């Protein structure tokens, strides 16, 4: 079942009617890994890690606080009162306003933000627009446009703006105006309509095109104008009184299973599925999506992902604390140069230092004041200063070495956090093992299982593309399977899979083959939700392992860059 921002807006309205002024008894994670708020009116369960993130209001469920982000989630929200639930127009984002008053009557307000973006769902707690905790953290850079991290200001996803380029829409409408109602023509027209007005959800664009195809105007420009204005009127009607409480529409298959539901009727489905009306959308959404989630394998995988993510978050928090301490120590070690200069000046002016002096200003450096121990002579003071200098040098060297180790570990953890999000049942164990290897002393590392096979795609001209499925699978693919002359692809400056383009002969790769491999690299990366992703590629012989780095972390050179739209399947 597909979701969009219109569906999210209706869900927010239904939750507001049910949960406003309810007290949050407890907050945390359910056994299947979903975040949850338990209230007297039911438990709000948030499936943020699924392929289609969604929320459901269930009659029971007892969330508990686990290690990592969910502990702060629980400690912050438990005991608060829900004041309202609202949605952000144009975005799959739901915000729950909560507050509590101290015994002195001072109000403390928090906002729970639920981002229901497919494959990139997130749960955040905000205090005055500052992130208190979040299920997923990332920093701006490369294809990532915003930062989500504890202590940072929250920045919601950017909203697309309508372009109103009706000439392009008229071109796409021309075949339909001429009587061509084939599937590719209708699909291209709905895609172009969404390009002209990105705020129009896919389901509604397809519905408008299906309705217009019954009796389309003969003029393509008139058809384009009709589709665009119909979409704007449809979205504007959401603000009319009663729209958010009117009946909703569900589409059932022959087994009475909910295939799709929406606030508006969907003309493209009414001819193949049974349409029924219902008073609430939330139960229909849960009925459609929970079947996948509630399967035994799905529950186990969700729980394993959540548990591993919590361990990674805990380790990352500890390393970030250590990094901050090391950086402060490095800043404090700026006194080394001062100590060295003071010692040299004191040795150069030994005969000028008065006995019992507490400070000394050298004649050759009148702007420098050297503090002395009055109980020591000039030479002994110089020796004491140089002892402090040598200790500072040693301390700084240790801190620099350790800071480099911490930075490498944090980079590896960021990659593992992303691998945890995309891991399936047959690869989650590999990711967990790689995390355990980061924590174990080198002498106690256990033997590794053989990595799973990479994904493989075959193109029309005999070329093959391989996609790594886990950290060790990435390393296996790049350094054992790929030949030196094969092309290696990776999304730039973001965690992602290693992708190999293999040609059976020595010919140059076709432009379409380069694009297909780059699209797969973009899709199998943390940047897959971006509209366009820069992907670097180079010959495999120019890729080398990072010394001391986790599997899959590499250096590469002689790279070229191609910017593509993320796409799965390589067109095969």
């Amino acid at each position: 079942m597909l979701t969009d921002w219109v569906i999210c807006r209706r869900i927010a309205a239904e939750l507001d009617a049910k949960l406003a002024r309810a007290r949050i008894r407890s907050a945390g994670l359910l056994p299947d890994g979903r975040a949850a708020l338990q209230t007297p009116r039911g438990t709000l369960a948030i499936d943020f890690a699924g392929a289609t993130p969604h929320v459901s209001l269930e009659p029971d469920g007892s969330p508990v606080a686990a290690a990592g982000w969910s502990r702060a989630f629980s400690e912050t929200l438990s005991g608060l009162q829900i004041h309202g639930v609202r949605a952000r127009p144009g975005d799959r984002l739901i915000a729950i306003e909560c507050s509590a008053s101290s015994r002195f009557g001072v109000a403390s307000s928090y906002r729970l933000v639920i981002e229901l973006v497919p494959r990139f769902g997130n749960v955040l707690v905000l205090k005055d627009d500052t992130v208190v905790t979040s299920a997923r953290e990332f920093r701006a850079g490369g294809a990532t446009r915003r930062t989500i991290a504890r202590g940072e200001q929250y920045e919601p996803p950017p909203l697309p703006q309508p372009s109103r380029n009706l000439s392009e829409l008229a071109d796409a409408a021309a075949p339909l105006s001429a009587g061509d109602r084939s599937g590719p023509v209708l699909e291209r027209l709905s895609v172009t309509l969404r390009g002209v007005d990105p705020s129009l959800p896919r389901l509604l664009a397809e519905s408008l095109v299906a309705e217009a195809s019954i009796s389309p105007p003969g003029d393509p420009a008139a058809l384009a104008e009709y589709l665009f204005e119909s979409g704007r009127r449809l979205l504007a009607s959401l603000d009319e009184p009663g729209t958010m409480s009117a009946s909703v529409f569900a589409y059932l298959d022959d087994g009475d299973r909910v295939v799709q539901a929406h606030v508006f009727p969907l003309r493209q489905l009414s001819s193949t599925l049974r349409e029924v009306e219902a008073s609430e959308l939330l139960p229909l959404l849960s009925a459609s999506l929970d079947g996948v989630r509630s399967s035994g394998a799905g529950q186990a995988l969700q729980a394993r992902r959540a548990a591993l993510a919590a361990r990674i978050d805990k380790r990352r928090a500890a390393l970030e604390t250590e990094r901050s301490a090391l950086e402060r120590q490095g800043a404090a070690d700026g006194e080394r140069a001062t100590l060295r200069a003071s010692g040299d000046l004191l040795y150069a002016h030994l005969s000028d230092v008065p006995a019992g002096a507490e400070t000394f200003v050298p004649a050759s450096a009148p702007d420098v004041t050297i503090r002395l121990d009055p109980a020591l002579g000039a030479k002994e003071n110089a020796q004491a200063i140089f002892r402090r200098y040598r200790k500072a040098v040693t301390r700084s060297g240790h801190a620099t070495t350790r800071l480099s180790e911490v930075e490498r570990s944090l980079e590896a953890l960021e990659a593992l956090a992303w691998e945890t999000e995309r891991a399936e049942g047959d690869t989650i164990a590999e990711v967990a093992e790689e995390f355990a290897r980061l924590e174990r002393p080198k002498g106690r590392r256990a033997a590794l299982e053989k990595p799973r096979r990479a994904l493989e795609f075959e193109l029309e001209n005999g070329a093959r593309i391989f996609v790594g499925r886990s950290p060790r699978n990435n390393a296996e693919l790049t350094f054992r399977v790929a030949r030196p002359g094969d092309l290696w692809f990776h999304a730039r400056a973001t965690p992602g899979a290693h992708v190999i383009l293999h040609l059976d002969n020595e010919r140059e790769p076709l432009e379409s083959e380069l694009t297909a491999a780059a699209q797969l690299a973009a899709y199998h990366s943390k940047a897959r939700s971006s509209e366009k992703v820069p992907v670097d590629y180079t010959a495999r012989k120019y890729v080398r392992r990072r010394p001391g780095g986790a599997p899959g972390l590499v250096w590469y050179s002689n790279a070229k860059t191609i910017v593509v739209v993320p796409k799965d399947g390589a067109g095969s």
Side-chain angles (χ1 to χ4, degrees):
M1 177 171 173
L2 299 177
T3 62
D4 55 43
W5 73 266
V6 176
I7 290 176
C8 290
R9 183 167 176 174
R10 175 59 184 254
I11 291 172
E14 293 182 8
L15 289 176
D16 184 67
K18 294 176 181 294
L19 297 180
R21 294 178 296 281
R23 182 75 61 182
I24 301 174
R25 289 175 173 171
S26 62
L29 298 181
L30 297 174
D32 58 12
R34 291 179 295 165
L37 304 178
Q38 185 185 40
T39 78
R41 303 173 192 174
T43 296
L44 176 63
I46 308 165
D47 184 359
F48 63 90
T52 304
H54 68 287
V55 298
S56 58
L57 192 60
E58 303 175 359
D60 52 21
S62 300
V64 297
W69 77 273
S70 67
R71 183 172 299 280
F73 175 79
S74 174
E75 292 174 350
T76 303
L77 297 179
S78 297
L80 300 186
Q81 185 181 51
I82 296 175
H83 285 282
V85 184
R86 57 184 177 82
R88 185 190 186 202
D91 200 2
R92 281 174 280 199
L93 186 152
I94 294 175
I96 301 178
E97 303 292 341
C98 310
S99 70
S101 297
S102 70
R103 58 178 179 171
F104 302 106
V106 179
S108 180
S109 300
Y110 293 88
R111 181 182 303 126
L112 173 63
V113 176
I114 306 169
E115 297 181 348
L116 299 174
V117 182
R119 300 183 302 274
F120 294 94
N122 205 357
V123 180
L124 310 94
V125 178
L126 309 182
K127 171 70 172 175
D128 298 329
D129 291 329
T130 299
V131 178
V132 176
T133 187
S134 64
R136 293 173 174 170
E137 292 191 356
F138 45 85
R139 293 195 173 272
T144 305
R145 300 180 182 179
R146 60 190 183 123
T147 293
I148 297 295
R150 291 184 296 274
E152 299 284 349
Q153 285 288 109
Y154 174 66
E155 180 183 356
L159 294 178
Q161 299 298 321
S163 66
R164 215 181 192 288
N165 182 7
L166 296 187
S167 60
E168 183 181 355
L169 186 58
D171 291 341
L176 179 58
S177 294
D180 187 348
R181 295 178 174 84
S182 62
V185 167
L186 299 183
E187 181 181 1
R188 181 195 170 201
L189 184 53
S190 64
V191 170
T192 306
L193 177 57
R194 290 196 63 214
V196 173
D197 185 359
S199 65
L200 185 65
R202 168 184 166 183
L203 291 171
L204 298 185
E206 292 174 349
S207 178
L208 290 173
V209 170
E211 186 173 15
S213 67
I214 298 173
S215 181
D219 179 15
L223 177 55
E225 182 73 24
Y226 167 77
L227 289 172
F228 180 82
E229 293 300 333
S230 296
R232 302 310 296 165
R233 286 194 299 271
L234 195 64
L235 296 183
S237 69
L238 292 171
D239 296 323
E240 297 176 359
T243 302
M244 287 295 103
S245 58
S247 295
V248 296
F249 301 85
Y251 296 87
L252 314 182
D253 61 13
D254 293 336
D256 284 339
R257 291 182 292 269
V258 178
V259 176
Q260 186 64 57
H262 210 279
V263 176
F264 298 108
L266 303 175
R267 301 306 182 196
Q268 74 274 30
L269 301 180
S270 57
S271 61
T272 57
L273 299 171
R274 184 162 61 91
E275 179 184 284
V276 298
E277 294 188 23
S279 59
E280 294 183 339
L281 181 60
L282 198 55
L284 297 173
L285 180 67
S286 298
S288 174
L289 296 175
D290 286 353
V292 177
R293 181 194 52 77
S294 61
S295 65
Q299 283 192 4
L301 179 59
Q302 290 276 20
R304 294 179 72 184
R305 280 176 174 167
L308 180 56
R311 291 171 60 196
I312 292 174
D313 283 345
K314 183 178 180 180
R315 179 61 177 161
R316 183 159 49 187
L319 287 174
E320 287 175 347
T321 300
E322 183 180 359
R323 179 176 63 183
S324 298
L326 291 169
E327 288 174 344
R328 289 194 300 270
Q329 181 176 329
D333 285 343
E335 65 175 340
R336 285 179 299 161
T338 302
L339 289 171
R340 175 63 183 266
S342 297
D344 287 340
L345 287 170
L346 206 55
Y347 268 120
H349 295 274
L350 288 178
S351 60
D352 299 331
V353 179
E358 295 183 354
T359 60
F360 173 68
V361 178
S364 60
D367 57 335
V368 175
T369 300
I370 304 173
R371 295 188 176 278
L372 305 175
D373 183 348
L376 300 178
K379 185 176 182 180
E380 289 77 10
N381 267 298
Q383 292 171 342
I385 288 174
F386 270 107
R387 282 195 296 271
R388 290 166 56 198
Y389 166 73
R390 286 191 292 271
K391 287 182 179 179
V393 170
T394 302
R395 185 171 62 248
S396 176
H398 292 163
T400 300
T401 300
R402 178 55 186 162
L403 183 59
S404 177
E405 294 172 352
V406 169
E407 293 285 3
R408 287 198 301 270
S409 295
L410 284 171
E411 184 179 9
L413 286 175
E414 181 183 4
L416 284 177
W418 175 78
E419 293 285 359
T420 301
E421 293 177 16
R422 72 158 179 157
E424 298 298 335
D426 59 345
T427 58
I428 187 69
E430 290 183 24
V431 181
E433 177 61 24
E434 291 306 328
F435 173 69
R437 285 167 63 83
L438 282 177
E439 293 192 309
R440 288 193 200 113
K442 292 183 179 179
R444 295 172 52 197
R445 294 187 173 178
L448 299 176
E449 296 182 4
K450 183 178 179 180
R452 303 300 190 268
R453 285 191 61 184
L455 299 176
E456 182 175 347
F457 303 88
E458 186 169 352
L459 305 185
E460 293 179 355
N461 295 305
R464 288 183 293 168
I465 302 176
F466 300 90
V467 181
R469 301 177 60 208
S470 69
R472 279 195 286 126
N473 192 211
N474 284 337
E476 174 90 0
L477 176 62
T478 298
F479 297 110
R480 298 191 63 179
V481 176
R483 301 179 307 185
D486 289 342
L487 291 179
W488 177 91
F489 294 73
H490 197 284
R492 178 191 285 182
T494 190
H498 292 203
V499 175
I500 296 294
L501 174 60
H502 173 80
L503 304 176
D504 289 332
N505 48 45
E506 298 302 321
R507 66 177 176 85
E508 290 295 315
L510 302 176
E511 190 70 26
S512 60
E513 294 167 342
L514 294 175
T515 300
Q519 287 178 326
L520 278 168
Y523 182 84
H524 292 275
S525 77
K526 192 174 181 179
R528 77 163 63 171
S529 62
S530 301
E531 293 182 3
K532 292 187 177 180
V533 178
V535 176
D536 290 343
Y537 70 96
T538 187
R540 209 297 292 158
K541 62 185 176 182
Y542 297 123
V543 183
R544 61 190 188 279
R545 302 176 192 267
R546 289 196 192 182
L553 293 182
V554 299
W555 298 110
Y556 59 91
S557 58
N558 293 23
K560 298 180 180 179
T561 302
I562 181 172
V563 179
V564 295
V565 176
K567 183 178 179 181
D568 193 18
S572 60

